[in-house]
Amino acid sequence: MRIEKTEDGVLLTQTECFDAQLSCMCGQAFRWSLLPDGTLHGVVGSSVANIEKRDGGYLFRGTDMETFEQVWRPYFDLDRDYAGICRRISADGHMKRAVEMYYGIRILRQEPWEALCSFIISQNNNIPRISGIIKRLCESFGERLPGGDYSFPGYSVLAGLSPQALSPLRAGFRARYITDAASKLESRELSLEEIALLPLPEARAQLMRITGVGAKVAECTLLYGFSRMDAFPVDVWVKRIMQELYPGGLPECARGFEGIAQQYLFHWRREGERSD
DNA sequence: AACCAGGCGCATA
DNA sequence: TATGCGCATGGT
C-alpha cells in the first residue's frame, strides 16, 4: 500500500483487494453515491469523500493526510489482510466464484450508531428507499457540512423526539424503533461502548433489547458497526443461498470470516438476479 | 393492481 | 419452539 500527498488530495495506490466502488455500493452502507463522472461521493462522520480512480488506485480529492489517516484508512479497513482472507475462503468452490467476480469488496467500518439506525430502517424495505429515508434523516436532524452534505445525526439529537416528530422521514412503522433505540442509548440503559467489548452472543442479546431489533438487524450492526467479521446476517438473499448451496451451514474455510463471506455471497446473488 | 422489499413483534398452538 | 399475520411506504 502506498499513500502520498498530491496537490489534489491523497493518492492511494498498490492496495491489495480493495475496490472502493464495489465496497461502497454493494448494499452495506447507504450514504454513498456514484456521480455521473465516476466520482464516488459519501459522508463519514463530519468528513466528505470524493474518490476518483487514478494511476491504478484512488485519489481522495481534497483530503489532507491527517483526515486520510484518521478517517479513511480505518473506514476502509486498509490494514486488514483481505487478500489473505479471500484466498482462505476461496477454498470453497462457490465462494471462489463470488470472490473472483467481485474481488475487492471490503466490510466498511461504519459508526456503530449509524449502522444500528440504518439497519433498523432497512427492515422489510428496499435499498433505494432505505437510502432516501436516511438522506431525509440526515437533512432533518444532522448538521450541514461545508459543501452542502449533512452529517448523520447522533442518537442524543433524536432521543427526546416522539415517533411523530420523525414523520418527515416517511419511515413508516420504523419511526418508533429509531426513537426507542435513541432513548435507550441516551439513558445509558444500553451502551455501544460496552457492547463493543462483549462476546458475540452477549452483544447480540444487548442489541435485541431495542424494540425493532431482531436477530438480523443485530447481526448487521455487529458486522458493519462493530467490525465483527464473524457476525453472519442472514436476509432473504442469503437464506436462499444457504438453502441452495449450503444446507449444512457455511463451509469450514469461512470460519471466523462469516460476515465477509456473507457480503460476497449476498452481492453475487443479488447481481445475478438483476442480470437475468 | 397485487406483490414485494437486507424483519420484527405479537398472537396462537 | 414454530408458524402466520400486520405493519407504513413506495416501487414495479
Side-chain angles (χ1 to χ4, degrees):
Chain A
M1 179 166 58
R2 178 178 166 84
I3 302 165
E4 57 191 306
K5 181 81 183 105
T6 74
E7 61 181 28
D8 301 328
V10 173
L11 181 63
L12 171 67
T13 51
Q14 300 171 29
T15 49
E16 280 190 89
C17 192
F18 175 50
D19 188 315
Q21 191 168 315
L22 265 180
S23 299
C24 293
M25 305 305 286
C26 69
Q28 59 171 313
F30 305 99
R31 297 206 64 204
W32 289 93
S33 57
L34 196 54
L35 304 183
D37 67 355
T39 299
L40 194 55
H41 178 89
V43 184
V44 170
S46 56
S47 300
V48 178
N50 287 103
I51 306 173
E52 304 167 18
K53 292 188 178 180
R54 179 183 292 191
D55 298 342
Y58 296 103
L59 174 70
F60 288 67
R61 180 172 289 282
T63 298
D64 57 52
M65 198 56 104
E66 188 188 353
T67 303
F68 184 87
E69 289 295 334
Q70 291 184 358
V71 178
W72 304 114
R73 184 171 183 154
Y75 182 77
F76 289 108
D77 209 4
L78 294 176
D79 293 292
R80 194 184 301 269
D81 177 18
Y82 264 84
I85 294 168
C86 285
R87 211 176 303 128
R88 212 187 113 174
I89 63 182
S90 294
D92 171 78
H94 304 298
M95 290 294 323
K96 184 171 193 289
R97 219 167 310 156
V99 167
E100 278 175 358
M101 196 156 335
Y102 299 107
Y103 194 67
I105 292 181
R106 284 167 177 256
I107 303 297
L108 302 170
R109 291 173 59 187
Q110 304 182 52
E111 285 291 313
W113 161 247
E114 179 171 340
L116 170 61
C117 191
S118 296
F119 282 94
I120 285 174
I121 292 167
S122 79
Q123 66 184 90
N124 189 223
N125 211 342
N126 55 59
I127 291 177
R129 201 167 84 93
I130 296 164
S131 305
I133 292 169
I134 291 172
K135 182 170 187 286
R136 294 187 286 277
L137 173 67
C138 296
E139 289 171 353
S140 304
F141 301 103
E143 290 185 7
R144 190 185 174 88
L145 303 171
D149 290 291
Y150 287 84
S151 64
F152 196 96
Y155 56 76
S156 299
V157 179
L158 307 175
L161 301 179
S162 66
Q164 298 91 287
L166 300 187
S167 58
L169 310 187
R170 286 171 278 155
F173 61 86
R174 305 163 193 85
R176 71 184 182 95
Y177 301 163
I178 298 170
T179 55
D180 183 69
S183 63
K184 282 195 168 84
L185 290 169
E186 181 68 8
S187 69
R188 311 300 291 172
E189 185 178 337
L190 233 65
S191 159
L192 296 174
E193 293 74 21
E194 285 175 20
I195 290 171
L197 303 175
L198 293 174
L200 211 50
E202 284 90 331
R204 286 185 182 117
Q206 285 296 305
L207 287 167
M208 288 173 67
R209 291 169 55 195
I210 298 165
T211 309
V213 176
K216 163 65 168 56
V217 171
E219 216 66 6
C220 285
T221 304
L222 289 165
L223 177 60
Y224 303 114
F226 291 94
S227 306
R228 301 287 186 100
M229 298 300 140
D230 51 347
F232 185 56
V234 178
D235 72 331
V236 289
W237 299 96
V238 174
K239 188 175 292 180
R240 284 170 203 157
I241 292 166
M242 295 306 289
Q243 286 168 353
E244 294 166 13
L245 303 181
Y246 305 115
L250 277 184
E252 172 66 27
C253 63
R255 179 153 309 195
F257 305 102
E258 290 85 352
I260 295 173
Q262 175 268 160
Q263 193 63 42
Y264 277 95
L265 292 171
F266 169 79
H267 195 244
W268 181 42
R269 180 58 194 256
R270 265 189 116 250
E271 289 299 303
E273 201 88 358
R274 276 159 43 86
S275 61
D276 279 345

